[in-house]
Amino acid sequence: MDVILIVIPAFIIFAVGFIGQKKIGFDRKSISTAALYLMYPFLAFRTFYTNEVTIDYLYIVIFCVSLMLLLILLVVVVSKIQAQSKSKSSALVLASVFMNSGNYGVPIILFAYGEAGVDYAIIMMVVQSLLMNTVGLYFAARGSSTADHSFKDSLVKIARMPINYAVILGLMTQVFSVSIPEFIMQSVNFIADATIPTIMIVLGMQLASLTKGTVKWADLSTIFSIRLIVSPVIALLLTMVMGLDPMLASILIILAAMPTAANTTMYSLQFNTEPQLVSYSTLVTTVASLITVPLMLWLVGAVS
């Protein structure tokens, strides 16, 4: 019951955006752009600035990169078999590969393992944030249906994203122990705290704009299977190969089973990379996680 109560607040925020879009109507693209270019960099900077770089970063980086590459390879193979378009293939990568390890995963780990587990969860959130803001953005730009992006064009778009410079700045201030004045951090914290709710409200707005018949159940099934079933299985195999500490291994497996990251909706909307499919996937996997996450916690022995 406690795990379900952790999920409910997310659905309330989705509902706010959904109702607002239905009753009032908003320019979703403008709000999404503001969140991506103005707000998200502050959250990324704070995340890297406040979390100390330790040896655990190395293990979790290896795990996250390996998991991401294997999932991308799987999606590419499936897309080839299904003869998917570049836009659809990129959307499948966004929705299948990148999980909600932050605002969803961290509270789950806190409930199951306490403060000791949260330290690992935050590190994974930081690494996943970096991967999503580079590789995820590349696939979002690559799959744009409004423009034909070459590999070079996609890299240029990534280079222009302010969030990447915020990540670099946050890492530099952490590594070189640069202290940011409190009055500046107060402003950073205000904007950072508002970022995730804004992203979730945008997702709610996008869900309110979905139309019937635009998303195929076969595509949703593919994403559902990879994100909630295949991903934790691969995570289990990786932790066994790497010989990780049992507690760290179980935490990584649980986080690998999280639903599709809400940020992917923002990326898909920004670049018009099948936003309907990505939004539906976030909703479906999040709803399904009411069952799959407690089951995963039980399987790894986190709860009895």
Side-chain angles (χ1 to χ4, degrees):
M1 182 62 183
D2 290 334
V3 176
I4 295 176
L5 291 177
I6 293 174
V7 180
I8 290 177
F11 284 92
I12 293 175
I13 300 175
F14 292 154
V16 170
F18 184 93
I19 295 171
Q21 186 65 29
K22 285 291 188 182
K23 297 297 183 180
I24 302 174
F26 294 92
D27 182 356
R28 305 185 311 280
K29 184 71 174 291
S30 295
I31 299 175
S32 173
T33 301
L36 184 60
Y37 286 88
L38 297 182
M39 301 174 68
Y40 204 19
F42 287 90
L43 176 61
F45 169 78
R46 186 180 70 176
T47 300
F48 285 86
Y49 172 69
T50 57
N51 290 285
E52 182 180 0
V53 178
T54 67
I55 189 62
D56 289 327
Y57 264 90
L58 177 61
Y59 299 132
I60 297 177
V61 166
I62 294 173
F63 171 85
C64 290
V65 172
S66 300
L67 177 63
M68 180 191 70
L69 292 176
L70 289 171
L71 289 175
I72 289 176
L73 178 61
L74 176 61
V75 173
V76 170
V77 170
V78 172
S79 296
K80 290 290 186 182
I81 295 174
Q82 297 178 347
Q84 301 282 17
S85 65
K86 181 188 290 187
S87 180
K88 181 68 70 65
S89 175
S90 297
L92 290 175
V93 169
L94 286 176
S96 302
V97 175
F98 301 102
M99 73 289 292
N100 194 343
S101 60
N103 58 310
Y104 191 165
V106 170
I108 295 293
I109 298 302
L110 176 61
F111 161 73
Y113 294 93
E115 292 295 335
V118 167
D119 291 339
Y120 289 133
I122 289 177
I123 295 174
M124 181 163 175
M125 178 187 72
V126 169
V127 176
Q128 282 295 326
S129 175
L130 182 60
L131 294 176
M132 201 183 314
N133 297 327
T134 51
V135 180
L137 278 173
Y138 164 73
F139 276 98
R142 174 181 176 273
S144 175
S145 60
T146 56
D148 185 15
H149 293 285
S150 65
F151 179 74
K152 180 180 178 181
D153 293 333
S154 299
L155 292 181
V156 169
K157 281 192 172 292
I158 293 174
R160 290 176 178 173
M161 299 300 292
I163 190 171
N164 295 312
Y165 300 101
V167 168
I168 294 172
L169 182 60
L171 279 172
M172 291 179 63
T173 55
Q174 170 62 233
V175 172
F176 295 105
S177 301
V178 177
S179 180
I180 305 297
E182 182 61 27
F183 72 92
I184 293 179
M185 283 307 299
Q186 285 181 343
S187 298
V188 171
N189 288 331
F190 276 130
I191 300 175
D193 289 341
T195 303
I196 294 299
T198 301
I199 293 171
M200 297 171 76
I201 287 175
V202 170
L203 174 58
M205 292 177 177
Q206 179 62 19
L207 294 175
S209 305
L210 298 177
T211 55
K212 294 181 179 180
T214 57
V215 176
K216 295 180 179 179
W217 176 247
D219 295 330
L220 285 176
S221 298
T222 298
I223 293 168
F224 178 93
S225 300
I226 295 175
R227 176 87 306 279
L228 298 181
I229 301 175
V230 177
S231 179
V233 170
I234 294 178
L236 172 62
L237 296 176
L238 285 174
T239 58
M240 292 172 63
V241 171
M242 295 174 65
L244 298 179
D245 171 80
M247 179 179 175
L248 174 57
S250 61
I251 289 173
L252 294 179
I253 293 169
I254 293 170
L255 292 175
M258 289 295 118
T260 301
N263 299 23
T264 58
T265 293
M266 184 171 61
Y267 293 163
S268 66
L269 185 61
Q270 180 67 29
F271 294 97
N272 199 28
T273 306
E274 303 287 341
Q276 303 266 42
L277 174 59
V278 177
S279 299
Y280 255 125
S281 301
T282 304
L283 174 64
V284 170
T285 55
T286 301
V287 171
S289 69
L290 287 167
I291 298 174
T292 60
V293 168
L295 177 61
M296 189 58 59
L297 289 169
W298 177 74
L299 288 174
V300 301
V303 294
S304 57

